[in-house]
Structure formats: structure tokens, C-alpha cells
Amino acid sequence: MELFIPDYVENILYRLEKFGYEAFIVGGSVRDLILGKEPADFDITTNAKPEEIEEIFKEYKTILVGKEYGTVVVVQDEGNIEVTTYRLEAEYLDGRKPSKVYFSDEIEEDLSRRDFTINAMAYNKSKGLIDLFSGQKDLENKLIKTVGNPIERFEEDHLRILRAIRFATQLGFYIEEETKNSCTQMGYLLKKISAERIREELFKILLSDRPSYGIRLMEDLDILEIIIPELKETVGFDQKNPHHEKDVFEHILCVVDHTPPVLEIRLAALFHDIGKPHTLTIDEEGIGHFYGHDKLGVKMSRDILKRLRCPNEMIDDVANLIKEHMTHHADLKDKGLKRLISRVGKDKIFNLIELQKADKRCSNRNADIGFLFERERQIQRILDRNEPYEKKQLEISGYDIINLGYKEGKIVGEILEYLMERVIDEPNLNHRDILIDMVLKKFTNKAK
Ligand code: CTP
């Protein structure tokens, strides 16, 4: 088998070999090349020790990531390459990272400590593919299978349990039976893993072509209740409403799959109805309603995203989409839409529409989403015409109002609110002179 290695990577392999060492590309890059995908990055494994790697690349810019882990990053314009000494990890005391790393002289030992067979192959031009654990066959059979005993691999690094689900989702693969059973058996150990590492895997699942596959796998393998117990409550939750064909969990999965792969939208899709199990009321006709589930969803999703240590800006964006997700029910004319743009923001308004399209589409098979495409066009028209929808677009500011003699404080806000309301109705009023005139007429003696 011959795999295509770009020149800037080949150059590093060549240099290591010229100095008498072995060197291979390894892991994800080999997997992706065999699959015909472009690797996101290339990792190299070698029997050269970290000091030797540094010496060989002393004319290059290098970064020693951690001498004890044996990784030297070689920086090149085309991309950074991690060059790591063959290693044998031992004694994972806490199931998170090895307490001590032992370097090895054998590529076989390095490959045998890796997580999955499809990630445990190495390649270079002279030796070809080194595939000791039938990774290539598992790639053909679309199988995620640990190298050796899954219990041992998962004990070494518990995150691998979630990685199995992540790779299965990204690649559309199955998890081999024994590996799968060990995921369920050892899933509780994920509680020991840092929120950041869990978050990164979860985000990769969410950004894949079919996130529902991964979320369903989490549920099937009893991992969901460990990572996001709030979602577990939606499983099988009957909405008792003719407008909603699916239970809450199935609806959420459908919405996530039907949104574009933008993290904030996918997160909002995942959590938009998370408040439903706590807000169900049933009317006289036996129909279910979920008043306030959007508000509760905002609070719950904020808590979850905080727990996952997401940045505040991301939390706010997701919360805002969830807060507004029910506005597709309202019959909004230009004025209402401008208010909506001002609440959601010009940059995020189309994300909201995408969420709403998916939400509506997944409610029942007869759902008509044409009005949301029309709403999208209407919003675009408002933005194209540059019609004001928020106070900072007014041709007059709070300072101007104070300069007219009004007292700093509440009244300034009231005046701006009044002007905004009028300008939203009649954009032609947005001229300084006209606005000043309006203020003086309407707020004659008030608080001057
Ligand atoms: N690896 C491992 N156990 C882990 C993490 C990583 O054995 N817990 C090994 C695997 O051989 C993996 C390689 O290190 O292929 C690189 O890991 P990573 O960069 O996380 O994943 P990739 O396989 O490169 O996949 P991607 O970049 O698509 O996430």
C-alpha cells in the first residue's frame, strides 16, 4: 500500500532516517489517508529520544512539549508536526494521564499502547504500512475496536470510552461488541475526567455529519446520564400533543441533525427543549403544554455549559437562541422582526432561523416551514435597507439628549426608547433635526 505524504512531512521523516533513526507517520493521519480523507494534522513517531530530535532539528523552530512525554513540535510554514519518541505508557494511576512514561526502542510497543486498532497503524515509504492489530481490516469493516483488552485500554485513559463513541460518530462506524460492553461497564469512570476533555469530544460529536448517531450511542451505552443527566430525562418523554409526533428525546435528535454544523446552533438544538420534562401541564382535552420550557431551558443549558467550562460568550449565544426559539409561533411584521433582530443580534439572527426551521421540520411530518424562509427574506430585506432596529443606530445619542437640558438618568432611557419605537415604525424619521424636534415636543417640561 502506498500513501501520499506531503513534502513538508516527508522532509521530517527523511531527516530522522538520515541521522539513522526510524520514523513513521502514525495514528489519525494514517487512518485518514487510508480512508482517502485529508488528515487534519500529521504525527510522527520515532526511536530518536527527545534530546536527539531537538539536535536533529536544531536549525528548525522547535517546541519541547514536555520532555517527560517525549514530544517535540517541529514548526514549519505548512503546519506543525509533533514528533514523539516511541513510548510505552505504564501506571496510569488516575485513569487520566500516565504517571510515568517509558520510552521504547520498538515501534511495536508504541503501537500496542494506542487506543483503537484504526488509530494504531504506522507508515513510511520504505517499510510501508505497519498494522499489527488489523486496523486496516477494521477500517474496511467500519469497526471501532480497542487494541487488545478494552478494560485495560479504558483503565489507562477513561476518556477513550467517549472517544470510541466520537470516532464511531465521525466515521459512521460501529463499536465492536466487547469494546461496547466495556464502555457501558466502565462509563461511570468518565466522572473522573476533566470537563474540558469531555467537552472537546462532545463538540466533535455535535459537529459531525449525524450527531444523533453519537447521542443515541451515548444513551444506549448508559453514558448520557453520566455526561448530561438533564438530557436523559427527555428519553421517551411523551409530549401528549398532536403537533408533536416524537417524544422529546427523538425530537431533539432530529433537530440537531437538521441544523447546520455550527457549534452554537447545534448546542442550542441539543438543549432547546431540555426544560420540557419539568413543565408539562395537561389541559381539559388531555393535550400537553410546556409553558415556560424555553425560560427553564435557558437556565438549565447555562448550568450545563458552565459545568462543561464553556466560554461565557458561547454560553450567552446558546442561551439567547434557546430563549427566542419559540418566536416562530408569533406572527411578526416588520416591527416585530426588528425587535427580534435587536434582541438576537444581526450576526446571530439567521442562526435562530436555522434552529427554528429544524425545530418546526421535526415537530410533525406535515409541518410547513415555508413561512420561515419568507421570514428569512424579510429580515434580509430589513438589513439590506439599513433600517434602524436598535438604539445605537439612532441619529441622536444619550449625550445629545442631556445637552438638550434633560437630566442624566432614567428619562434619557425613556426618551431613547420612545424615539426607537417611532423610528422602527417610520425609518424616515431617523434624522437628527427631526428627532430633536420630536423630543422637545413630546417631553416638554419633563425632568429638565
Ligand atoms: N491516542 C491514544 N489514546 C488517547 C488519545 C490518543 O491512544 N486517549 C493515540 C491514537 O493513536 C491517536 C493518536 O494518539 O490516533 C492521536 O490522538 P488525537 O490527536 O487525539 O486523535 P487523532 O486520531 O489524530 O484524530 P483527530 O485528530 O481526528 O481527533
Side-chain angles (χ1 to χ4, degrees):
M1 155 165 308
E2 195 171 338
L3 299 176
F4 172 75
I5 306 177
D7 286 349
Y8 77 101
V9 183
E10 193 59 63
N11 172 44
I12 307 283
L13 293 173
Y14 171 76
R15 240 184 124 74
L16 283 157
E17 285 176 348
K18 200 176 85 178
F19 280 83
Y21 297 99
E22 291 175 1
F24 298 88
I25 57 165
V26 72
S29 54
V30 179
R31 178 198 69 219
D32 289 347
L33 285 175
I34 296 177
L35 286 173
K37 295 184 177 180
E38 198 179 326
D41 46 34
F42 284 85
D43 294 330
I44 287 178
T45 187
T46 174
N47 58 349
K49 299 288 178 298
E51 316 73 65
E52 293 162 342
I53 302 171
E54 280 191 303
E55 178 61 25
I56 292 168
F57 294 99
K58 64 175 185 245
E59 281 134 43
Y60 291 64
K61 184 171 160 36
T62 55
I63 306 162
L64 186 61
V65 174
K67 204 171 182 172
E68 64 274 29
Y69 291 112
T71 299
V72 177
V73 179
V74 180
V75 179
Q76 294 186 103
D77 289 344
E78 298 88 339
N80 293 356
I81 296 179
E82 284 190 8
V83 183
T84 305
T85 310
Y86 294 161
R87 51 190 231 194
L88 238 196
E89 280 149 336
E91 299 166 47
Y92 280 73
L93 290 182
D94 57 359
R96 290 186 292 193
K97 57 177 188 235
S99 48
K100 186 164 172 30
V101 170
Y102 296 100
F103 295 137
S104 165
D105 293 320
E106 312 290 333
I107 177 78
E108 291 77 12
E109 285 186 324
D110 180 90
L111 295 178
S112 63
R113 64 145 183 112
R114 292 177 181 267
D115 52 6
F116 304 109
T117 58
I118 60 164
N119 287 345
M121 292 179 277
Y123 174 87
N124 70 19
K125 268 205 178 124
S126 52
K127 295 247 171 71
L129 187 69
I130 311 231
D131 178 14
L132 307 172
F133 308 101
S134 308
Q136 204 185 350
K137 191 181 106 237
D138 288 342
L139 273 183
E140 275 163 27
N141 292 333
K142 298 181 178 280
L143 265 192
I144 305 295
K145 181 177 173 196
T146 53
V147 171
N149 185 343
I151 305 266
E152 281 171 23
R153 290 292 87 75
F154 293 163
E155 252 160 17
E156 286 163 359
D157 180 2
H158 311 326
L159 187 72
R160 286 171 171 169
I161 299 166
L162 191 53
R163 280 171 65 86
I165 296 176
R166 188 259 285 188
F167 284 117
T169 313
Q170 282 182 322
L171 300 169
F173 280 21
Y174 312 97
I175 305 179
E176 174 272 335
E177 213 47 37
E178 200 189 340
T179 303
K180 204 169 171 176
N181 292 337
S182 304
C183 286
T184 303
Q185 191 186 327
M186 301 177 75
Y188 68 96
L189 292 169
L190 283 168
K191 285 187 186 149
K192 292 214 235 166
I193 297 295
S194 76
E196 288 82 354
R197 293 184 78 205
I198 300 266
R199 182 188 68 203
E200 291 318 308
E201 295 300 322
L202 189 65
F203 284 3
K204 286 182 180 171
I205 291 172
L206 279 179
L207 290 176
S208 65
D209 290 344
R210 196 155 67 91
S212 65
Y213 180 57
I215 303 163
R216 207 185 285 286
L217 263 177
M218 283 198 252
E219 156 60 5
D220 290 347
L221 304 187
D222 299 340
I223 305 288
L224 193 63
E225 63 214 64
I226 292 157
I227 299 176
I228 316 174
E230 296 87 342
L231 257 183
K232 174 79 186 172
E233 295 168 342
T234 66
V235 177
F237 197 93
D238 183 356
Q239 310 206 45
K240 301 189 192 313
N241 187 309
H243 296 296
H244 296 287
E245 280 174 355
K246 298 180 166 68
D247 69 41
V248 180
F249 185 63
E250 290 300 324
H251 169 73
I252 286 175
L253 294 186
C254 175
V255 177
V256 175
D257 278 354
H258 283 84
T259 46
V262 174
L263 195 52
E264 283 80 358
I265 310 182
R266 290 260 163 109
L267 283 166
L270 188 64
F271 298 139
H272 76 288
D273 275 352
I274 209 164
K276 278 194 167 174
H278 303 270
T279 49
L280 174 69
T281 52
I282 298 187
D283 66 20
E284 313 83 64
E285 278 148 39
I287 307 234
H289 302 280
F290 301 93
Y291 303 113
H293 80 272
D294 41 354
K295 239 185 179 166
L296 181 62
V298 168
K299 187 184 168 310
M300 290 173 74
S301 57
R302 279 189 176 279
D303 289 345
I304 299 168
L305 294 171
K306 251 186 230 151
R307 198 168 72 214
L308 290 170
R309 296 199 213 292
C310 294
N312 286 334
E313 197 186 332
M314 181 188 286
I315 299 178
D316 289 343
D317 286 348
V318 173
N320 219 7
L321 292 178
I322 296 175
K323 177 168 155 258
E324 301 289 349
H325 84 270
M326 298 293 285
T327 47
H328 63 76
H329 285 301
D331 175 24
L332 298 177
K333 302 274 181 306
D334 263 20
K335 190 170 170 174
L337 286 178
K338 286 180 195 173
R339 287 263 170 229
L340 186 64
I341 303 171
S342 121
R343 290 199 304 276
V344 180
K346 177 168 123 209
D347 305 333
K348 311 284 176 189
I349 188 71
F350 294 110
N351 288 351
L352 176 67
I353 305 289
E354 290 300 336
L355 175 66
Q356 292 179 325
K357 278 186 207 160
D359 191 12
K360 187 84 188 154
R361 183 176 278 152
C362 292
S363 58
N364 70 69
R365 75 200 75 179
N366 300 321
D368 175 17
I369 63 164
F371 76 99
L372 284 166
F373 283 98
E374 177 49 33
R375 184 172 283 189
E376 203 169 30
R377 284 192 288 274
Q378 233 172 316
I379 291 172
Q380 193 58 57
R381 271 197 299 272
I382 292 173
L383 296 176
D384 289 346
R385 287 197 303 249
N386 232 344
E387 291 182 5
Y389 55 85
E390 60 184 354
K391 290 190 199 111
K392 65 173 185 241
Q393 293 169 298
L394 288 172
E395 291 287 327
I396 184 171
S397 71
Y399 292 114
D400 296 326
I401 292 169
I402 292 165
N403 284 340
L404 289 174
Y406 294 89
K407 274 212 193 94
E408 204 173 332
K410 206 169 129 218
I411 184 67
V412 177
E414 269 174 36
I415 294 175
L416 287 173
E417 195 56 44
Y418 167 75
L419 294 176
M420 192 67 238
E421 199 63 31
R422 296 286 310 273
V423 168
I424 278 184
D425 267 343
E426 281 179 72
N428 293 339
L429 296 177
N430 195 21
H431 294 284
R432 209 180 146 72
D433 295 347
I434 302 179
L435 296 177
I436 290 177
D437 217 40
M438 279 162 58
V439 175
L440 295 175
K441 269 196 194 124
K442 171 88 182 169
F443 297 86
T444 21
N445 297 316
K446 233 181 160 184
K448 268 210 169 190

